[in-house]
């Protein structure tokens, strides 16, 4: 494994003790830290990041970028529907969202020992069908993205600093962010839900560790701040999850204008109904791989409550009230988290 990425980041391997300390100790290729920011990813990440750095993006690609658990799947379904299914008659809509809208940052997450270091069967099946002769070690989802016909709706959780420096000059990017309290709860539940990770951490402990930036993939503020600093680029649309929940038609209008999809008001209303939380939850996520901690394949766990908090102001102030987080944070943890937010982002209110 290269000790330096094409992006210039230094790769540092974590010790077994360090891996155990962050609650993850079952990756085949261990865990690495990427300096100088300190991103903590599975040990296979450098290989895939170098491939992405040289990735051939297409002019009509749409890249959805978020910090994990910030409304990514919702935005994927919205944009895929606007681009590929505005009349709600595309049979491909029955396929898993994860397969029709490839996540280029996902390959590194297929490395747990519980998966044998391989992608789940649904991905392998699609890979065999769409990418004959390709090497899955180069990235199952990266090859699937290459095989996807245009216009592609791609997803990534990687920060801009790890992407090609000119990515915004090549494709349109939609960035979505969310109240860090609700993100923290959703991310904790996400890791608990995916049994393949064998995640070992208690909720209060996890929230404390988020504030010290010592956890697996958890560098929330650097991720958001970097995107916020690029918000005036004509190829970047910066959105708030809370704004989408408060007035979805207004935000759909912004997306429609940004992408140039030219959908009518009636079509946008159809998109809003089709991609509502209740509609998406009722359809479920048709992945039957044994990666979820659930009773049976009919139990939908990927979409939770869809709770939200009040809207952000144009100054990217962080809402500290009214979200689902208040059902999970103790008063002491609420105070600590609020202080952390205000210290890390002085504009927070």
């Amino acid at each position: 494994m290269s000790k330096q990425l094409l992006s210039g980041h230094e790769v540092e391997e974590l010790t077994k003790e360090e891996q155990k300390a962050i609650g993850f100790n079952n990756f085949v290729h261990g865990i690495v830290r990427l300096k100088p920011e300190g991103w903590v990813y599975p040990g296979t990440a450098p290989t895939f990041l170098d491939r992405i750095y040289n990735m051939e993006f297409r002019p009509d690609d749409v890249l959805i970028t978020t910090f994990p658990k910030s409304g990514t799947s919702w935005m994927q379904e919205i944009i895929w529907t606007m681009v590929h299914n505005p009349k709600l008659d595309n049979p491909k809509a029955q396929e898993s969202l994860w397969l029709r809208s490839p996540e280029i940052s996902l390959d590194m997450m297929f490395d747990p020992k519980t998966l044998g270091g391989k992608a789940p069967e649904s991905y392998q099946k699609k890979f065999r069908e769409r990418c004959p002769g390709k090497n899955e070690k180069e990235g199952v989802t990266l090859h699937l993205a290459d095989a996807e016909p245009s216009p592609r709706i791609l997803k990534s959780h990687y920060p801009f600093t790890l992407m090609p420096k000119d990515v915004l000059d090549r494709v349109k990017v939609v960035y979505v962010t969310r109240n860090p309290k609700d993100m923290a709860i959703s991310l904790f539940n996400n890791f608990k839900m995916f049994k393949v990770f064998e995640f070992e951490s208690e909720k209060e402990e996890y929230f404390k560790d988020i504030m010290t930036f010592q956890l697996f993939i958890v560098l929330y503020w650097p991720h958001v701040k970097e995107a916020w600093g690029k918000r005036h680029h004509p190829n970047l649309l910066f959105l708030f999850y809370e704004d989408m929940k408060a007035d979805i038609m207004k935000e759909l209008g912004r997306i429609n204008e940004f992408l140039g999809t030219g959908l009518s008001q009636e079509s946008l209303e159809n998109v809003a109904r089709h991609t509502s939380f209740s509609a998406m939850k009722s359809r479920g996520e048709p992945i039957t791989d044994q990666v979820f901690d659930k009773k049976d394949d009919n139990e939908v766990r990927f979409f939770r409550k869809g709770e939200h908090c009040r809207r952000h102001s144009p100054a990217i102030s962080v809402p500290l009230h009214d979200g689902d987080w208040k059902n999970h944070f103790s008063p002491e943890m609420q105070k600590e988290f609020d202080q952390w937010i205000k210290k890390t982002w002085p504009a927070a209110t």
Side-chain angles (χ1 to χ4, degrees):
M1 180 179 66
S2 173
K3 294 300 181 181
Q4 188 174 46
L5 299 182
L6 294 177
S7 62
H9 287 76
E10 179 185 353
V11 179
E12 175 186 84
E13 296 184 22
L14 270 62
T15 65
K16 292 291 185 181
E17 291 74 19
E18 289 175 315
Q19 293 178 46
K20 188 174 183 180
I22 64 174
F24 292 86
N25 193 31
N26 73 323
F27 283 92
V28 176
H29 296 89
I31 296 177
V32 297
R33 179 178 288 110
L34 307 182
K35 297 181 175 181
E37 294 88 358
W39 310 103
V40 178
Y41 292 137
T44 55
T47 297
F48 302 128
L49 282 165
D50 277 349
R51 283 206 66 209
I52 291 172
Y53 200 79
N54 286 326
M55 186 173 175
E56 294 185 8
F57 287 98
R58 305 170 193 168
D60 57 358
D61 285 341
V62 179
L63 178 62
I64 300 165
T65 305
T66 71
F67 190 84
K69 309 313 295 179
S70 297
T72 328
S73 296
W74 188 20
M75 183 56 67
Q76 276 179 278
E77 190 68 272
I78 286 173
I79 293 181
W80 192 91
T81 302
M82 292 177 69
V83 172
H84 291 290
N85 192 28
K87 296 182 179 179
L88 307 183
D89 58 357
N90 189 338
K92 193 174 180 179
Q94 301 302 316
E95 185 179 31
S96 166
L97 174 63
W98 296 356
L99 296 176
R100 55 186 155 91
S101 176
E103 178 187 337
I104 62 175
S105 57
L106 188 59
D107 284 302
M108 66 175 179
M109 303 303 293
F110 295 152
D111 196 49
K113 297 175 184 177
T114 44
L115 287 176
K118 295 184 178 181
E121 178 55 32
S122 61
Y123 287 93
Q124 292 190 45
K125 182 176 182 294
K126 183 77 175 288
F127 179 79
R128 291 190 295 268
E129 294 172 353
R130 300 291 303 279
C131 310
K134 299 294 185 179
N135 183 356
E136 65 178 82
K137 292 183 179 180
E138 295 175 347
V140 169
T141 59
L142 288 178
H143 277 306
L144 286 173
D146 288 341
E148 191 69 17
S150 295
R152 300 183 298 182
I153 312 302
L154 304 175
K155 164 186 172 180
S156 173
H157 286 314
Y158 288 133
F160 276 108
T161 189
L162 294 175
M163 299 292 287
K165 295 186 183 302
D166 62 346
V167 65
L168 281 175
D169 297 324
R170 290 195 268 167
V171 300
K172 288 185 179 294
V173 178
V174 176
Y175 188 93
V176 187
T177 194
R178 184 184 190 185
N179 179 324
K181 291 181 182 178
D182 286 317
M183 173 281 297
I185 294 162
S186 189
L187 190 61
F188 176 83
N189 288 329
N190 183 70
F191 284 135
K192 287 291 188 181
M193 176 186 72
F194 283 97
K195 62 182 180 182
V196 297
F197 294 133
E198 298 181 353
F199 176 56
E200 298 178 2
S201 183
E202 297 301 321
K203 192 175 294 183
E204 290 277 305
E205 174 190 4
Y206 187 73
F207 295 157
K208 286 180 178 292
D209 288 342
I210 284 178
M211 293 184 284
T212 64
F213 298 114
Q214 298 299 313
L215 290 181
F216 185 64
I217 75 172
V218 178
L219 282 177
Y220 174 82
W221 286 117
H223 200 291
V224 175
K225 285 181 178 181
E226 188 175 15
W228 181 249
K230 300 178 184 296
R231 68 190 183 281
H232 298 305
H233 194 289
N235 275 351
L236 176 64
L237 179 63
F238 194 107
L239 299 173
F240 294 102
Y241 177 89
E242 290 75 25
D243 286 341
M244 293 167 59
K245 294 292 292 186
D247 190 345
I248 186 58
M249 291 306 299
K250 178 181 178 180
E251 300 308 298
L252 287 181
R254 294 181 63 197
I255 298 168
N256 192 35
E257 180 179 359
F258 176 70
L259 298 181
T261 40
L263 299 185
S264 66
Q265 182 70 13
E266 181 181 3
S267 293
L268 291 178
E269 290 172 357
N270 287 336
V271 170
R273 284 190 293 270
H274 183 72
T275 61
S276 67
F277 177 79
S278 58
M280 290 179 67
K281 189 170 184 178
S282 67
R283 291 196 298 273
E285 177 53 37
I287 283 190
T288 58
D289 297 308
Q290 298 304 307
V291 297
F292 297 116
D293 182 14
K294 57 182 182 177
K295 297 177 182 178
D296 56 60
D297 291 337
N298 294 319
E299 182 184 357
V300 179
R301 295 295 303 277
F302 195 68
F303 303 110
R304 288 180 64 247
K305 295 183 178 181
E307 295 287 351
H308 62 286
C309 48
R310 66 178 173 84
R311 298 170 66 183
H312 296 256
S313 76
I316 196 174
S317 61
V318 180
L320 304 181
H321 307 287
D322 303 331
D324 185 46
W325 60 264
K326 62 180 177 290
N327 297 317
H328 302 267
F329 276 66
S330 67
E332 294 76 17
M333 180 53 60
Q334 175 185 339
K335 183 177 180 180
E336 286 187 48
F337 223 77
D338 287 351
Q339 291 174 344
W340 169 70
I341 291 172
K342 291 179 181 181
K343 179 180 178 180
T344 311
W345 193 289
T349 59

